[in-house]
């Protein structure tokens, strides 16, 4: 097969890579989108809770409460789990994560990412309209449930902080929870409803819809191995394609490329699991629901009710250990009527994270024509189109809508 040629080759067809390809295409670039899979959105972008989290002003930082840290250390927290055998692998990264989560540094991360969060839903709505898939966006908001007085008080403090940045919320009493979601059961102290985030009932399908739009506009999709990327006199070449510029948007696998090129960016992963179940009887769930104290989300996907877990710290490619699914399943059944599992086994994915919970966006410091767009932590679905726009503006010499300096690859030294 003859080698394809273009202006830009984008490595990775998850939400982040597809969005970058679309924004580059919109600005006149001929783009080839490369992925190891035959279709887009088959990896991390497939498995999330489906929320476009435009209300999530503060990133998911390492806790500073000693009681929470002790729970994590002894694997007693439903929000997190770790494999003891992998501790030497992820502990150095975890220390950097803890240090980056100091109040001052966490606030810096929040303010740096704020323009992207505020732009996230706007960019998605524009792409969804252009792709012609309005059914893949539901204006539901989402609900956070609290069982203890302490967790509820912390949740209220969090939304009070977010309100300073224009994030609306409703604090609900237990009776209001029952009125909103009559099929939920449990002893709750209260809840918080966030009305502005919108819900995608099939995140993988949304990535595929954006890719179909990319193809309709003349873009090309190539199945190839990103690890074959190499620089030559004319630019960049990956097996089957050549271009003047290349974008690394491989999410948790980005290190397979940047490490070969001499970069030591501290990319870590937080693994996660999900399982689809049929709703029991005539039970209906109207919006995604987080059980804050028990550490799981139920989301009404097209495939069924998706049970998603907290984070697992382990090697990215280690065998699955769906302990959190096993722990959450009886608790989820007590919260909402659930029937049989639809999936044969739990799905596992990996969230790509930097210690400061900010993505890497921008030009590679030591290679002309090489660009990075990865590390979106828990917000790949949310931020993909916004960071794609920011990257495309930088690559085409336009004024960026947000300050790109906090996302520079060389911020880690």
């Amino acid at each position: 097969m003859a080698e394809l040629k273009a202006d830009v080759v984008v490595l990775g067809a998850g939400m982040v890579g597809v969005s970058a390809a679309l924004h580059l295409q919109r600005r006149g670039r001929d783009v080839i989108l490369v992925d190891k899979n035959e279709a887009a959105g088959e990896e991390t972008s497939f498995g999330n809770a489906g929320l476009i989290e435009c209300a999530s002003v503060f990133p998911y930082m390492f806790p500073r409460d000693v009681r929470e840290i002790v729970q994590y250390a002894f694997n007693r927290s439903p929000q997190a789990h770790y494999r003891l055998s992998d501790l030497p692998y992820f502990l150095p990264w975890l220390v950097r994560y803890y240090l980056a989560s100091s109040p001052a540094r966490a606030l810096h991360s929040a303010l740096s990412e704020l323009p992207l969060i505020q732009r996230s839903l706007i960019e998605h709505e524009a792409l969804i309209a252009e792709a012609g898939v309005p059914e893949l966006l539901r204006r539901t908001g989402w609900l956070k449930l609290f069982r203890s007085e302490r967790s509820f008080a912390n949740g209220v403090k969090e939304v009070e902080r977010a309100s300073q940045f224009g994030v609306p919320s409703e604090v609900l009493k237990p009776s209001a929870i029952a009125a909103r979601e009559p099929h939920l059961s449990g002893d709750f102290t209260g809840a918080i409803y966030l009305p502005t985030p919108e819900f995608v009932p099939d995140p993988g399908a949304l990535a595929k819809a954006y890719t179909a739009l990319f193809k309709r506009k003349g873009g090309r999709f190539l199945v190839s191995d990103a690890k074959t990327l190499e620089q030559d006199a004319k630019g960049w070449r990956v097996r089957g394609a050549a271009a003047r510029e290349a974008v690394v948007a491989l999410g948790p696998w980005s290190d397979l490329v940047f490490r070969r090129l001499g970069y030591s960016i501290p990319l870590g992963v937080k693994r996660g699991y999900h399982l689809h179940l049929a709703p029991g009887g005539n039970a209906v769930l109207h919006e995604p629901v987080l059980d804050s104290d028990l550490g799981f989300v139920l989301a009404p996907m097209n495939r069924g009710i998706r049970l998603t877990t907290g984070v697992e710290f382990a090697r990215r490619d280690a065998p699955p250990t769906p302990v959190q699914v096993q722990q959450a399943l009886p608790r989820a059944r007590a919260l909402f009527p659930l029937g049989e599992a639809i999936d044969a086994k739990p799905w596992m994915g990996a969230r790509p994270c930097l210690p400061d919970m900010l993505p890497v966006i921008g030009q590679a410091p030591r290679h002309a024509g090489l660009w990075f767009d990865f590390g979106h932590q828990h917000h790949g679905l949310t931020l993909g189109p916004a960071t794609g726009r920011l990257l495309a503006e930088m690559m085409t010499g336009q004024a960026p809508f947000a300050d790109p300096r906090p996302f520079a690859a060389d911020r880690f030294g």
Side-chain angles (χ1 to χ4, degrees), residues 7 14 27 62 84 101 138 176 210 232 237 241 247 249 275 285 305 319 333 352 354 387 400:
D7 298 323
R27 288 158 179 80
F62 198 97
L84 186 60
S101 298
R138 297 179 184 171
Y210 287 175
D232 62 21
R237 175 172 277 106
V247 176
L275 182 71
L285 190 65
I305 303 297
R333 291 187 185 281
L354 283 305
T387 61

Side-chain angles (χ1 to χ4, degrees), residues 55 57-58 107 111 114 118 156-169:
V57 172
F58 303 103
L107 180 60
L111 295 177
L114 183 60
Q118 292 173 330
V156 171
K157 286 180 183 177
E158 183 178 314
V159 294
E160 287 175 348
R161 288 181 69 202
S163 69
Q164 300 173 40
F165 300 96
V167 176
S169 61

Side-chain angles (χ1 to χ4, degrees), residues 9-21 24 33-35 43-45 226 229 246-255 257-258 267 352 360 370-376 384 387-388 391:
V9 59
V10 175
L11 306 178
M15 181 56 66
V16 172
V18 173
S19 298
L24 285 164
L33 186 59
V34 175
D35 200 87
E43 300 290 350
T44 306
S45 296
L229 182 71
V247 176
V248 179
L250 294 163
W253 296 277
S254 297
D255 63 319
V257 173
F258 69 68
L267 181 67
V360 172
L370 181 65
W371 299 80
F372 294 147
D373 189 8
F374 59 81
H376 291 61
T387 61
L391 179 76

Side-chain angles (χ1 to χ4, degrees), residues 45-368:
S45 296
F46 172 80
N48 50 69
L51 283 160
I52 299 175
E53 255 290 35
C54 58
S56 187
V57 172
F58 303 103
Y60 292 91
M61 308 306 289
F62 198 97
R64 311 304 281 186
D65 187 289
V66 174
R67 286 171 292 186
E68 287 185 70
I69 294 173
V70 170
Q71 281 188 311
Y72 290 170
F74 288 94
N75 257 342
R76 294 174 180 169
S77 170
Q79 285 82 11
H81 178 264
Y82 71 91
R83 293 163 52 106
L84 186 60
S85 60
D86 289 337
L87 185 60
Y89 167 76
F90 67 78
L91 185 58
W93 184 89
L94 207 61
V95 171
R96 297 185 72 160
Y97 182 26
Y98 174 80
L99 294 174
S101 298
S102 69
R105 295 179 68 181
L107 180 60
H108 175 267
S109 290
L111 295 177
S112 297
E113 195 173 70
L114 183 60
L116 306 182
I117 290 289
Q118 292 173 330
R119 194 78 206 174
S120 60
L121 184 55
I122 297 169
E123 296 297 337
H124 265 294
E125 288 178 334
L127 287 179
I128 285 172
E130 192 174 4
V133 286
E135 70 278 6
L136 290 179
L137 190 64
R138 297 179 184 171
R139 291 167 174 80
T140 62
W142 71 305
L143 190 65
K144 294 184 178 183
L145 303 173
F146 300 91
R147 296 175 182 271
S148 71
E149 293 285 355
R150 180 170 172 270
S151 65
F152 184 41
N154 288 336
V156 171
K157 286 180 183 177
E158 183 178 314
V159 294
E160 287 175 348
R161 288 181 69 202
S163 69
Q164 300 173 40
F165 300 96
V167 176
S169 61
E170 298 176 27
V171 178
L172 305 180
K173 295 180 179 179
S175 58
I177 299 172
R180 183 165 194 89
E181 290 287 354
H183 291 105
L184 294 181
S185 301
D187 186 12
F188 304 113
T189 302
I192 294 170
Y193 174 63
L194 297 162
T196 51
E198 299 191 5
F199 174 59
V200 177
D202 191 337
L206 186 62
K208 290 174 175 60
Y210 287 175
T211 304
L213 172 63
F214 168 74
K215 291 179 179 178
R216 289 198 301 271
K217 297 175 69 174
R220 289 166 288 172
F221 187 97
L222 174 68
V223 178
S224 187
D225 184 356
K227 295 192 298 294
T228 64
L229 182 71
E230 60 182 7
Q231 190 176 26
D232 62 21
K234 295 183 179 180
W236 294 88
R237 175 172 277 106
V238 67
R239 190 179 63 208
R244 290 185 287 106
E245 296 180 289
V247 176
V248 179
L250 294 163
W253 296 277
S254 297
D255 63 319
L256 299 178
V257 173
F258 69 68
R259 289 193 191 282
R260 289 175 50 248
L261 297 171
Y263 296 94
S264 57
I265 301 166
L267 181 67
V269 299
K270 297 180 184 179
R271 303 203 314 182
Y273 298 83
H274 79 227
L275 182 71
H276 290 99
L277 301 110
N282 63 349
V284 175
L285 190 65
H286 298 100
E287 67 230 337
V289 173
L290 167 68
D291 192 318
S292 300
D293 295 79
L294 299 181
F296 64 86
V297 172
L298 293 179
M301 296 287 178
N302 289 345
R303 181 171 170 79
I305 303 297
R306 178 178 286 184
L307 166 65
T308 72
T309 68
V311 302
E312 179 187 54
F313 293 101
R315 290 180 181 270
R316 178 190 57 211
D317 302 320
T321 52
V323 173
Q324 290 163 297
V325 173
Q326 297 163 7
Q327 293 173 340
L329 193 51
R331 299 164 177 170
R333 291 187 185 281
L335 175 64
F336 180 81
L338 293 169
E340 295 297 315
I342 295 170
D343 301 327
K345 61 181 181 180
W347 175 91
M348 184 192 78
R351 307 171 182 94
C353 302
L354 283 305
D356 57 7
M357 292 294 106
L358 296 177
V360 172
I361 308 166
Q363 190 162 11
R366 299 189 301 274
H367 291 81

